[in-house]
């Protein structure tokens, strides 16, 4: 009883506030991750799930994955999709952040309106872009025909190359506001006196951008790119709603292929292995980010 009273002292009140969140993470995040890792080392499918026979086969699922052409193409699709989205949404978000950092009328209301794409649920955005890129009733084809740029409708979502392009367009549209608002926040932390001193010394806008804005925005840019990489690399709902990994597995990402293996082909262990590959890559990126930021603080 004395030890219990000692634990509930004022000095330990912080631990009591953290305890509910810790228990929640332990049950709803920690347990599924551990169970998924164990499952990936077993042979579990629709045939032996009911029987309850779960034989450990160690790394056999992972070895089979790297011989699977769909897995390798899914990994490549995920990397290509992530890099393409990051480049375009970062450039557009950075440009908009610089634009709205200038004082002019209606800057705040317009910036608020531009946040709407990021606030809309991803499934709604996916359905909207699916209609935009539809073959017969899509607005994209209608506009291209009206401008006489095409003679017949383009099958955007049923052709491998154009399907990936449509997915990238949709994700870039979602990601631009996210990049804009974070970079805008970073711009507000730069002292105005630095720009005034630079202008007095005769520095132009290009010089101040490269010598003041970019160096002081480095921590913000790192955060934006890492968070954008994590959010984009694990994309699922956007791809599943728009293309479901098709046509002919051309737009499968690691997340969608893991879902297909687990819940359509009922290869639960193999699907878990794909999910673990995704987890390891994101953990690696997260560790690099933490290491970079802590080294910067120590310096």
């Amino acid at each position: 009883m004395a030890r219990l009273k000692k634990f509930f002292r004022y000095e330990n009140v912080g631990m009591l506030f953290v305890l509910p969140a810790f228990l929640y993470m332990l049950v709803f995040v920690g347990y599924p991750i551990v169970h998924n890792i164990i499952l990936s080392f077993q042979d579990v499918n629709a045939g032996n799930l009911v029987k309850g026979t779960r034989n450990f086969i160690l790394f056999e699922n992972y070895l089979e994955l790297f011989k699977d052409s769909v897995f390798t193409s899914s990994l490549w699709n995920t990397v290509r999709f992530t890099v393409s989205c990051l480049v375009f949404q970062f450039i557009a978000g950075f440009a908009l952040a610089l634009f709205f950092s200038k004082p002019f009328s209606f800057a705040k209301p317009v910036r608020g309106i531009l946040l709407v794409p990021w606030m809309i649920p991803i499934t709604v955005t996916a359905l909207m872009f699916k209609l935009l890129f539809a073959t017969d009733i899509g607005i994209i084809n209608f506009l291209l025909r009206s401008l006489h740029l095409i003679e017949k409708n383009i099958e955007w979502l049923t052709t491998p190359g154009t399907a990936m392009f449509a997915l990238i367009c949709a994700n870039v549209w979602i990601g631009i506001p996210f990049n804009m608002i974070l970079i805008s926040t970073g711009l507000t932390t730069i002292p105005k006196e630095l720009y005034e001193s630079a202008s007095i010394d005769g520095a132009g806008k290009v010089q101040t951008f490269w010598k003041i804005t970019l160096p002081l925005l480095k921590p913000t840019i790192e955060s934006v790119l890492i968070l954008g990489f994590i959010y984009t690399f694990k994309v699922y709902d956007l791809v599943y709603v728009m293309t479901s990994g098709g046509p002919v597995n051309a737009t499968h990402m690691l997340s969608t292929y893991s879902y297909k293996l687990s819940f359509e082909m009922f290869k639960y262990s193999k699907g878990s292995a794909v999910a673990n590959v995704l987890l390891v890559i994101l953990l690696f990126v997260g560790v690099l980010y933490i290491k970079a930021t802590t080294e910067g603080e120590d310096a």
Side-chain angles (χ1 to χ4, degrees):
M1 190 67 179
R3 291 183 178 181
L4 188 62
K5 289 182 178 180
K6 187 178 180 179
F7 177 78
F8 281 96
R9 289 188 309 175
Y10 178 77
E11 292 81 358
N12 296 325
V13 69
M15 296 176 61
L16 295 175
F17 282 116
V18 172
L19 186 60
F22 174 76
L23 293 176
Y24 175 86
M25 294 292 291
L26 189 65
V27 174
F28 294 101
V29 178
Y31 171 74
I33 290 176
V34 173
H35 183 270
N36 196 69
I37 293 173
I38 296 173
L39 185 62
S40 68
F41 293 113
Q42 297 175 332
D43 180 20
V44 181
N45 51 53
N48 58 21
L49 180 65
V50 179
K51 298 178 181 178
T53 56
R54 300 189 175 192
N55 299 321
F56 278 91
I57 56 175
L58 297 180
F59 295 98
E60 188 173 328
N61 286 317
Y62 294 95
L63 295 175
E64 288 182 4
L65 277 183
F66 288 97
K67 298 177 183 178
D68 185 355
S69 60
V70 180
F71 170 77
T72 53
S73 65
S74 299
L75 180 60
W76 165 242
N77 287 339
T78 308
V79 173
R80 182 176 55 160
F81 175 79
T82 302
V83 172
S84 300
C85 290
L86 283 181
V87 169
F88 289 112
Q89 67 191 25
F90 177 77
I91 293 174
F94 202 117
L96 287 173
L98 291 175
F99 177 73
F100 285 109
S101 66
K102 307 299 180 183
F104 63 93
S105 300
F106 304 110
K108 291 182 179 179
V110 174
R111 186 168 58 184
I113 293 172
L114 290 177
L115 286 175
V116 172
W118 186 55
M119 299 170 65
I120 296 175
I122 295 180
T123 51
V124 176
T125 301
L127 288 171
M128 182 176 66
F129 272 85
K130 190 173 184 178
L131 290 174
L132 286 173
F133 284 100
T135 304
D136 296 322
I137 61 173
I139 297 175
I140 303 295
N141 279 334
F142 173 77
L143 291 175
L144 292 176
R145 287 198 317 271
S146 301
L147 295 172
H148 303 288
L149 296 176
I150 59 173
E151 295 182 358
K152 63 178 183 178
N153 292 331
I154 299 175
E155 297 181 356
W156 295 101
L157 300 177
T158 55
T159 305
T162 55
M164 180 62 73
F165 173 77
L167 289 174
I168 292 172
C169 288
N171 198 73
V172 167
W173 190 77
I174 296 170
I176 287 175
F178 174 78
N179 284 257
M180 180 190 70
I181 195 64
L182 289 185
I183 295 172
S184 295
T185 304
L187 287 172
T188 59
T189 63
I190 301 177
K192 301 296 181 184
E193 292 80 6
L194 293 177
Y195 294 105
E196 294 173 359
S197 300
S199 62
I200 292 173
D201 292 337
K205 292 184 177 180
V206 176
Q207 287 178 308
T208 56
F209 175 78
W210 289 105
K211 299 295 184 180
I212 297 176
T213 305
L214 270 186
L216 293 179
L217 276 180
K218 182 181 177 182
T220 303
I221 292 173
E222 289 177 348
S223 300
V224 169
L225 291 178
I226 293 297
L227 290 174
F229 181 91
I230 293 172
Y231 291 150
T232 307
F233 201 83
K234 66 181 182 65
V235 65
Y236 168 76
D237 35 13
L238 181 73
V239 179
Y240 187 79
V241 173
M242 287 187 66
T243 63
S244 297
V248 198
N249 299 320
T251 59
H252 259 311
M253 309 294 168
L254 289 178
S255 56
T256 56
Y257 188 50
S258 175
Y259 177 87
K260 180 179 179 179
L261 286 171
S262 298
F263 302 107
E264 293 181 9
M265 301 174 67
F266 305 109
K267 297 179 179 180
Y268 303 110
S269 294
K270 199 171 180 180
S272 298
V274 176
N276 288 332
V277 171
L278 178 61
L279 174 66
V280 169
I281 294 173
L282 293 180
L283 280 176
F284 177 74
V285 173
V287 169
L288 288 180
Y289 171 66
I290 294 172
K291 185 178 179 180
T293 52
T294 52
E295 286 179 353
E297 291 175 357
D298 294 339

Short mmCIF file of all heavy atoms in Angstrom, two decimals, residues 229-264:
data_model
loop_
_atom_site.label_atom_id
_atom_site.label_comp_id
_atom_site.label_asym_id
_atom_site.label_seq_id
_atom_site.Cartn_x
_atom_site.Cartn_y
_atom_site.Cartn_z
N PHE A 229 6.79 11.46 -47.41
CA PHE A 229 7.22 10.12 -47.84
C PHE A 229 6.43 9.04 -47.12
O PHE A 229 5.95 8.09 -47.73
CB PHE A 229 8.72 9.96 -47.58
CG PHE A 229 9.27 8.64 -48.02
CD1 PHE A 229 9.77 8.47 -49.29
CD2 PHE A 229 9.25 7.53 -47.17
CE1 PHE A 229 10.27 7.24 -49.72
CE2 PHE A 229 9.74 6.31 -47.57
CZ PHE A 229 10.26 6.16 -48.85
N ILE A 230 6.29 9.19 -45.80
CA ILE A 230 5.59 8.17 -45.00
C ILE A 230 4.12 8.09 -45.41
O ILE A 230 3.58 7.00 -45.63
CB ILE A 230 5.73 8.48 -43.50
CG1 ILE A 230 7.19 8.32 -43.06
CG2 ILE A 230 4.82 7.58 -42.68
CD1 ILE A 230 7.47 8.77 -41.66
N TYR A 231 3.45 9.24 -45.52
CA TYR A 231 2.04 9.24 -45.88
C TYR A 231 1.81 8.69 -47.28
O TYR A 231 0.82 7.99 -47.53
CB TYR A 231 1.48 10.67 -45.81
CG TYR A 231 1.38 11.23 -44.41
CD1 TYR A 231 1.50 12.60 -44.17
CD2 TYR A 231 1.18 10.39 -43.32
CE1 TYR A 231 1.42 13.11 -42.88
CE2 TYR A 231 1.10 10.89 -42.04
CZ TYR A 231 1.22 12.25 -41.82
OH TYR A 231 1.14 12.75 -40.55
N THR A 232 2.73 9.00 -48.20
CA THR A 232 2.55 8.58 -49.59
C THR A 232 2.94 7.12 -49.79
O THR A 232 2.29 6.39 -50.53
CB THR A 232 3.38 9.48 -50.52
OG1 THR A 232 3.07 10.85 -50.26
CG2 THR A 232 3.07 9.18 -51.98
N PHE A 233 4.01 6.69 -49.12
CA PHE A 233 4.52 5.33 -49.33
C PHE A 233 3.52 4.28 -48.87
O PHE A 233 3.46 3.18 -49.42
CB PHE A 233 5.85 5.16 -48.59
CG PHE A 233 6.70 4.04 -49.11
CD1 PHE A 233 7.52 4.24 -50.21
CD2 PHE A 233 6.69 2.80 -48.50
CE1 PHE A 233 8.30 3.21 -50.70
CE2 PHE A 233 7.48 1.77 -48.98
CZ PHE A 233 8.28 1.97 -50.09
N LYS A 234 2.73 4.61 -47.85
CA LYS A 234 1.77 3.63 -47.32
C LYS A 234 0.37 3.84 -47.91
O LYS A 234 -0.61 3.36 -47.33
CB LYS A 234 1.71 3.72 -45.79
CG LYS A 234 1.16 5.02 -45.25
CD LYS A 234 1.18 5.01 -43.73
CE LYS A 234 0.58 6.27 -43.15
NZ LYS A 234 -0.85 6.44 -43.44
N VAL A 235 0.27 4.53 -49.03
CA VAL A 235 -1.04 4.82 -49.62
C VAL A 235 -1.80 3.53 -49.91
O VAL A 235 -1.23 2.53 -50.35
CB VAL A 235 -0.87 5.64 -50.92
CG1 VAL A 235 -0.15 4.82 -52.00
CG2 VAL A 235 -2.22 6.13 -51.43
N TYR A 236 -3.09 3.56 -49.61
CA TYR A 236 -3.93 2.38 -49.86
C TYR A 236 -5.28 2.76 -50.42
O TYR A 236 -5.65 2.35 -51.52
CB TYR A 236 -4.13 1.57 -48.57
CG TYR A 236 -5.21 0.52 -48.70
CD1 TYR A 236 -4.97 -0.65 -49.40
CD2 TYR A 236 -6.48 0.73 -48.17
CE1 TYR A 236 -5.96 -1.61 -49.55
CE2 TYR A 236 -7.48 -0.22 -48.31
CZ TYR A 236 -7.22 -1.39 -49.00
OH TYR A 236 -8.21 -2.31 -49.16
N ASP A 237 -6.04 3.57 -49.66
CA ASP A 237 -7.43 3.84 -50.02
C ASP A 237 -7.57 4.54 -51.37
O ASP A 237 -8.47 4.24 -52.15
CB ASP A 237 -8.13 4.65 -48.92
CG ASP A 237 -7.21 5.64 -48.25
OD1 ASP A 237 -6.11 5.89 -48.79
OD2 ASP A 237 -7.58 6.16 -47.17
N LEU A 238 -6.66 5.47 -51.67
CA LEU A 238 -6.72 6.18 -52.95
C LEU A 238 -6.58 5.21 -54.12
O LEU A 238 -7.36 5.24 -55.08
CB LEU A 238 -5.63 7.24 -53.00
CG LEU A 238 -5.57 8.10 -54.27
CD1 LEU A 238 -6.72 9.09 -54.28
CD2 LEU A 238 -4.24 8.82 -54.38
N VAL A 239 -5.60 4.32 -54.03
CA VAL A 239 -5.34 3.36 -55.11
C VAL A 239 -6.46 2.34 -55.20
O VAL A 239 -6.92 2.00 -56.29
CB VAL A 239 -3.98 2.66 -54.89
CG1 VAL A 239 -3.71 1.64 -55.99
CG2 VAL A 239 -2.86 3.69 -54.83
N TYR A 240 -6.92 1.86 -54.05
CA TYR A 240 -7.95 0.81 -54.05
C TYR A 240 -9.25 1.31 -54.67
O TYR A 240 -9.89 0.58 -55.43
CB TYR A 240 -8.20 0.32 -52.63
CG TYR A 240 -9.13 -0.87 -52.57
CD1 TYR A 240 -8.66 -2.15 -52.86
CD2 TYR A 240 -10.47 -0.72 -52.24
CE1 TYR A 240 -9.50 -3.24 -52.82
CE2 TYR A 240 -11.32 -1.80 -52.20
CZ TYR A 240 -10.84 -3.07 -52.49
OH TYR A 240 -11.68 -4.14 -52.46
N VAL A 241 -9.62 2.54 -54.36
CA VAL A 241 -10.88 3.08 -54.89
C VAL A 241 -10.76 3.39 -56.38
O VAL A 241 -11.69 3.11 -57.16
CB VAL A 241 -11.30 4.34 -54.10
CG1 VAL A 241 -12.52 5.01 -54.76
CG2 VAL A 241 -11.63 3.98 -52.67
N MET A 242 -9.64 3.95 -56.80
CA MET A 242 -9.51 4.39 -58.19
C MET A 242 -9.22 3.25 -59.15
O MET A 242 -9.81 3.18 -60.24
CB MET A 242 -8.41 5.46 -58.30
CG MET A 242 -8.81 6.81 -57.73
SD MET A 242 -7.58 8.10 -58.05
CE MET A 242 -7.67 8.24 -59.84
N THR A 243 -8.30 2.36 -58.81
CA THR A 243 -7.89 1.32 -59.77
C THR A 243 -7.89 -0.09 -59.19
O THR A 243 -7.81 -1.06 -59.96
CB THR A 243 -6.47 1.61 -60.30
OG1 THR A 243 -5.54 1.54 -59.21
CG2 THR A 243 -6.39 2.98 -60.95
N SER A 244 -7.93 -0.23 -57.87
CA SER A 244 -7.84 -1.55 -57.20
C SER A 244 -6.58 -2.31 -57.62
O SER A 244 -6.56 -3.54 -57.65
CB SER A 244 -9.08 -2.39 -57.51
OG SER A 244 -10.24 -1.77 -56.99
N GLY A 245 -5.53 -1.57 -57.96
CA GLY A 245 -4.28 -2.20 -58.35
C GLY A 245 -4.18 -2.52 -59.83
O GLY A 245 -3.12 -2.94 -60.29
N GLY A 246 -5.23 -2.34 -60.57
CA GLY A 246 -5.23 -2.64 -62.00
C GLY A 246 -4.79 -1.45 -62.82
O GLY A 246 -4.45 -0.40 -62.28
N PRO A 247 -4.80 -1.59 -64.14
CA PRO A 247 -5.12 -2.81 -64.89
C PRO A 247 -3.93 -3.78 -64.93
O PRO A 247 -2.79 -3.36 -65.06
CB PRO A 247 -5.41 -2.28 -66.30
CG PRO A 247 -4.59 -1.02 -66.39
CD PRO A 247 -4.54 -0.44 -65.01
N VAL A 248 -4.25 -5.05 -64.79
CA VAL A 248 -3.26 -6.14 -64.83
C VAL A 248 -2.12 -5.87 -63.83
O VAL A 248 -0.94 -5.92 -64.20
CB VAL A 248 -2.70 -6.36 -66.26
CG1 VAL A 248 -2.05 -7.74 -66.35
CG2 VAL A 248 -3.77 -6.23 -67.31
N ASN A 249 -2.48 -5.54 -62.59
CA ASN A 249 -1.52 -5.30 -61.50
C ASN A 249 -0.57 -4.14 -61.76
O ASN A 249 0.45 -4.01 -61.08
CB ASN A 249 -0.68 -6.57 -61.24
CG ASN A 249 -1.54 -7.74 -60.84
OD1 ASN A 249 -2.50 -7.61 -60.09
ND2 ASN A 249 -1.20 -8.92 -61.35
N ALA A 250 -0.90 -3.26 -62.70
CA ALA A 250 0.02 -2.19 -63.10
C ALA A 250 0.13 -1.09 -62.06
O ALA A 250 1.12 -0.36 -62.04
CB ALA A 250 -0.41 -1.58 -64.44
N THR A 251 -0.88 -0.93 -61.20
CA THR A 251 -0.84 0.13 -60.19
C THR A 251 -0.86 -0.42 -58.77
O THR A 251 -1.20 0.31 -57.84
CB THR A 251 -2.01 1.11 -60.39
OG1 THR A 251 -3.26 0.39 -60.30
CG2 THR A 251 -1.92 1.80 -61.73
N HIS A 252 -0.52 -1.67 -58.61
CA HIS A 252 -0.46 -2.24 -57.27
C HIS A 252 0.67 -1.59 -56.48
O HIS A 252 1.79 -1.46 -56.96
CB HIS A 252 -0.24 -3.75 -57.31
CG HIS A 252 -1.48 -4.54 -57.09
ND1 HIS A 252 -2.36 -4.30 -56.06
CD2 HIS A 252 -2.01 -5.59 -57.78
CE1 HIS A 252 -3.37 -5.15 -56.12
NE2 HIS A 252 -3.19 -5.94 -57.16
N MET A 253 0.36 -1.14 -55.25
CA MET A 253 1.37 -0.69 -54.30
C MET A 253 1.58 -1.82 -53.29
O MET A 253 0.86 -2.81 -53.28
CB MET A 253 0.92 0.58 -53.60
CG MET A 253 0.45 1.68 -54.54
SD MET A 253 1.77 2.32 -55.56
CE MET A 253 0.84 3.30 -56.75
N LEU A 254 2.55 -1.66 -52.42
CA LEU A 254 2.80 -2.68 -51.40
C LEU A 254 1.57 -2.88 -50.53
O LEU A 254 1.23 -4.01 -50.16
CB LEU A 254 3.99 -2.28 -50.53
CG LEU A 254 5.37 -2.35 -51.20
CD1 LEU A 254 6.43 -1.87 -50.23
CD2 LEU A 254 5.68 -3.77 -51.67
N SER A 255 0.89 -1.80 -50.19
CA SER A 255 -0.29 -1.90 -49.32
C SER A 255 -1.44 -2.63 -50.01
O SER A 255 -2.08 -3.50 -49.41
CB SER A 255 -0.74 -0.51 -48.89
OG SER A 255 -0.99 0.30 -50.02
N THR A 256 -1.70 -2.30 -51.26
CA THR A 256 -2.82 -2.93 -51.97
C THR A 256 -2.51 -4.39 -52.29
O THR A 256 -3.40 -5.23 -52.28
CB THR A 256 -3.16 -2.17 -53.26
OG1 THR A 256 -1.98 -2.09 -54.09
CG2 THR A 256 -3.64 -0.76 -52.94
N TYR A 257 -1.24 -4.68 -52.58
CA TYR A 257 -0.88 -6.07 -52.88
C TYR A 257 -0.96 -6.93 -51.61
O TYR A 257 -1.35 -8.09 -51.66
CB TYR A 257 0.52 -6.15 -53.48
CG TYR A 257 0.88 -7.53 -53.98
CD1 TYR A 257 0.01 -8.23 -54.82
CD2 TYR A 257 2.08 -8.14 -53.63
CE1 TYR A 257 0.32 -9.49 -55.28
CE2 TYR A 257 2.40 -9.40 -54.09
CZ TYR A 257 1.52 -10.08 -54.92
OH TYR A 257 1.82 -11.34 -55.38
N SER A 258 -0.60 -6.33 -50.47
CA SER A 258 -0.75 -7.04 -49.20
C SER A 258 -2.22 -7.36 -48.93
O SER A 258 -2.55 -8.47 -48.48
CB SER A 258 -0.17 -6.19 -48.06
OG SER A 258 -0.41 -6.80 -46.81
N TYR A 259 -3.09 -6.40 -49.21
CA TYR A 259 -4.53 -6.63 -49.03
C TYR A 259 -5.03 -7.73 -49.98
O TYR A 259 -5.80 -8.60 -49.57
CB TYR A 259 -5.29 -5.33 -49.30
CG TYR A 259 -6.80 -5.49 -49.20
CD1 TYR A 259 -7.46 -5.36 -47.98
CD2 TYR A 259 -7.55 -5.77 -50.34
CE1 TYR A 259 -8.82 -5.50 -47.89
CE2 TYR A 259 -8.93 -5.92 -50.26
CZ TYR A 259 -9.56 -5.78 -49.04
OH TYR A 259 -10.93 -5.94 -48.96
N LYS A 260 -4.56 -7.69 -51.22
CA LYS A 260 -5.01 -8.70 -52.19
C LYS A 260 -4.58 -10.10 -51.77
O LYS A 260 -5.38 -11.05 -51.84
CB LYS A 260 -4.43 -8.37 -53.57
CG LYS A 260 -4.84 -9.37 -54.65
CD LYS A 260 -4.26 -9.00 -56.01
CE LYS A 260 -4.68 -10.04 -57.05
NZ LYS A 260 -4.15 -9.71 -58.40
N LEU A 261 -3.34 -10.23 -51.33
CA LEU A 261 -2.86 -11.55 -50.90
C LEU A 261 -3.64 -12.06 -49.70
O LEU A 261 -3.99 -13.24 -49.63
CB LEU A 261 -1.37 -11.47 -50.56
CG LEU A 261 -0.40 -11.36 -51.73
CD1 LEU A 261 1.01 -11.07 -51.23
CD2 LEU A 261 -0.39 -12.63 -52.57
N SER A 262 -3.93 -11.16 -48.76
CA SER A 262 -4.55 -11.59 -47.51
C SER A 262 -6.05 -11.84 -47.64
O SER A 262 -6.56 -12.84 -47.14
CB SER A 262 -4.29 -10.54 -46.42
OG SER A 262 -2.92 -10.40 -46.17
N PHE A 263 -6.76 -10.93 -48.31
CA PHE A 263 -8.22 -10.96 -48.26
C PHE A 263 -8.91 -11.29 -49.59
O PHE A 263 -10.12 -11.38 -49.64
CB PHE A 263 -8.75 -9.62 -47.74
CG PHE A 263 -8.22 -9.28 -46.38
CD1 PHE A 263 -7.27 -8.28 -46.23
CD2 PHE A 263 -8.65 -9.96 -45.26
CE1 PHE A 263 -6.76 -7.98 -44.98
CE2 PHE A 263 -8.15 -9.65 -44.00
CZ PHE A 263 -7.20 -8.65 -43.86
N GLU A 264 -8.12 -11.45 -50.64
CA GLU A 264 -8.70 -11.90 -51.91
C GLU A 264 -8.16 -13.27 -52.32
O GLU A 264 -8.89 -14.11 -52.80
CB GLU A 264 -8.42 -10.87 -53.02
CG GLU A 264 -9.14 -9.54 -52.80
CD GLU A 264 -8.88 -8.55 -53.91
OE1 GLU A 264 -8.28 -8.96 -54.94
OE2 GLU A 264 -9.26 -7.39 -53.78
#
